[in-house]
Amino acid sequence: MTPARTFPGALDGAGDVTLPVPPGPIRRLWAGHPRVADALLILFWGGPEFAFAIGGVWRADESVANTVIVLVLVGIAVSGIPFRRTRPQITVVAGLVSVIAMAWTEAGYSPMLFAAFAACVWWSRAAGWWSIAVASVLGAAATAVRVWVVAPGSGGLGEVFAPALPAFLVIAVLIGTTTGDRRRYTEALIERARQLARERDQQARLAAAAERARIAREMHDIVSHSVTVMVRLAEGAAAGLPATEPSAAAMHGVAEVGRSAMTDMRRMLGVLNDGDAGAEPKTPAPHAPQPAIRDLPKLVDGFRTLGTPVTLELVGAPPDDDALQLAVYRIVQESLTNAVRYAPDARAVSAVVTSTADAVVVLVADDGRRSAPTKPIGAGRGLIGIRERVHALDGSVDAGPRPDGGWEVRASIPIRKVTA
């Protein structure tokens, strides 16, 4: 198996993009040791030119002065190689200096081949073709200076317009164009993966915030009911006592504090209206009684009318906890909805709610094949909402495929103990 390298900011569970490692030790050397790669490129493109120039002196074919000029020009040319990634313009200009060396030697232009390649990869394709044009004209001019001024009689128009340099430059640009297009395409894919990862995280945060808002509304209704009952009981107790009795004043105080708490709670939760932030408040929707475990048979009947083969089993006596019962109802509702959406071929869907003295366990399972919809349904917020509800009640939830096929959601919510 090919090992993998992790690039920051993409799509795996940690928010990264996992791509294959470039094959071979040379590619890994290039990626991990850029300075070593620069030194090897300088040696590869400048070494043969240095050797050729020094060899001319050794064979007495060239003068020492001409050789020194060629060595200096080639040295300047290869010095631009390390700038190819950040400033390819410097690499191209330095490569053109090597073409000038053709005024004293027949070769010397090798660094320009790499410069043309680098222009296509790290600059643009147009820059590569322009470098060919400039280098070809400059090479013809430098060759004319050599055959008619520096070394008269060493050549003629055939050498001045020789196709070797333009041909090699075209090959370098074609290779650079292919490499540059692949590099830009890969970078675009990685950037797109990072963007998708950011959008995924944003959607998850929005879904969690929306679910918390909905839970807050429902908790408002639950607490509102309880506080209202407390206020009515306090007022009833005060009404049965003489007005001079200290307990009557205390009961009136309890009722007043309860009404004040209700007012403050409605004011604080008023920002959770269904409108956008900053919009005018809408007319509040009428508050219906919150569903509970006792309403699950009616819920299941609704799914059966849709053709879903749902069975419901209620085990044990449910706790007298409105928030917990509401959470259980929503878990079953969302799990059955997901089964209808993503497992339409299920032959059996079961919902089991087991109430014990310590916890309520909800298990919703189906035997259908989990299919990916042709277009997004529900934005994946169902499981997020279930987790938010269960964690708010200090419970745990697991959702995933079953060993024998299908899907199941299992949630366990502890029963809160009320101590005196």
Side-chain angles (χ1 to χ4, degrees):
M1 179 179 293
T2 304
R5 166 177 293 171
T6 299
F7 292 82
L11 282 178
D12 67 358
D16 295 332
V17 179
T18 302
L19 297 176
V21 172
I26 295 179
R27 292 290 298 274
R28 288 198 292 272
L29 177 66
W30 247 241
H33 303 84
R35 293 186 179 180
V36 175
D38 293 341
L40 292 176
L41 288 173
I42 290 173
L43 182 62
F44 179 82
W45 292 104
E49 301 297 347
F50 290 142
F52 184 81
I54 294 174
V57 176
W58 184 265
R59 296 188 307 269
D61 296 336
E62 298 287 347
S63 65
V64 175
N66 289 353
T67 300
V68 170
I69 293 174
V70 171
L71 292 176
V72 171
L73 293 177
V74 172
I76 294 174
V78 296
S79 66
I81 290 178
F83 297 96
R84 66 191 181 279
R85 299 185 185 90
T86 56
R87 297 183 180 179
Q89 303 89 337
I90 296 178
T91 304
V92 173
V93 172
L96 291 173
V97 173
S98 69
V99 178
I100 300 175
M102 295 178 67
W104 290 274
T105 179
E106 295 180 359
Y109 57 81
S110 293
M112 184 59 212
L113 302 180
F114 180 80
F117 167 85
C120 294
V121 176
W122 288 284
W123 194 352
S124 67
R125 283 179 288 181
W129 291 106
W130 275 108
S131 67
I132 285 182
V134 175
S136 298
V137 173
L138 189 61
T143 303
V145 171
R146 186 183 78 248
V147 299
W148 289 323
V149 178
V150 177
S154 60
L157 289 177
E159 284 73 16
V160 173
F161 297 105
L165 175 59
F168 286 137
L169 287 172
V170 168
I171 294 173
V173 166
L174 291 177
I175 297 174
T177 299
T178 302
T179 305
D181 288 346
R182 180 183 177 185
R183 176 175 174 272
R184 284 183 281 271
Y185 180 71
T186 303
E187 289 178 347
L189 288 179
I190 293 176
E191 180 57 32
R192 177 58 178 162
R194 290 172 178 158
Q195 181 181 357
L196 289 174
R198 289 192 294 267
E199 292 177 356
R200 175 203 63 191
D201 296 339
Q202 290 171 357
Q203 288 295 330
R205 287 193 291 268
L206 289 174
E211 189 61 29
R212 290 191 186 101
R214 187 168 70 160
I215 293 172
R217 294 188 190 98
E218 294 173 349
M219 292 302 297
H220 167 268
D221 293 337
I222 294 171
V223 176
S224 169
H225 170 75
S226 300
V227 174
T228 300
V229 171
M230 291 168 56
V231 170
R232 294 291 180 261
L233 290 175
E235 289 177 338
L241 295 174
T244 57
E245 182 71 27
S247 299
M251 289 297 100
H252 282 301
V254 170
E256 199 61 37
V257 170
R259 279 190 288 268
S260 176
M262 286 292 299
T263 301
D264 293 339
M265 183 174 59
R266 290 195 180 98
R267 184 183 300 114
M268 294 300 295
L269 296 179
V271 296
L272 299 176
N273 61 70
D274 293 332
D276 297 332
E280 291 296 328
K282 298 181 178 180
T283 302
H287 295 296
Q290 293 298 324
I293 295 177
R294 64 178 178 274
D295 299 307
L296 287 177
K298 184 177 179 180
L299 173 68
V300 170
D301 288 340
F303 280 96
R304 286 174 182 156
T305 60
L306 299 176
T308 305
V310 185
T311 61
L312 173 65
E313 182 178 359
L314 302 177
V315 181
D320 189 15
D321 188 330
D322 292 340
L324 190 150
Q325 292 210 27
L326 174 61
V328 170
Y329 182 91
R330 295 302 186 196
I331 292 170
V332 174
Q333 182 184 45
E334 189 62 45
S335 300
L336 294 179
T337 302
N338 286 340
V340 172
R341 286 174 176 170
Y342 303 117
D345 61 339
R347 292 173 297 179
V349 181
S350 62
V352 181
V353 179
T354 304
S355 302
T356 65
D358 298 320
V360 176
V361 179
V362 181
L363 176 62
V364 181
D366 64 75
D367 61 356
R369 293 182 304 171
R370 218 64 177 177
S371 60
T374 56
K375 59 183 180 178
I377 301 177
R381 299 186 178 184
L383 289 177
I384 295 177
I386 290 176
R387 290 192 177 95
E388 289 289 337
R389 291 180 179 278
V390 174
H391 292 166
L393 297 174
D394 299 326
S396 60
V397 60
D398 293 311
R402 303 170 64 191
D404 55 348
W407 189 271
E408 73 174 19
V409 177
R410 179 186 294 272
S412 177
I413 306 175
I415 297 176
R416 293 175 291 184
K417 304 296 183 180
V418 180
T419 58

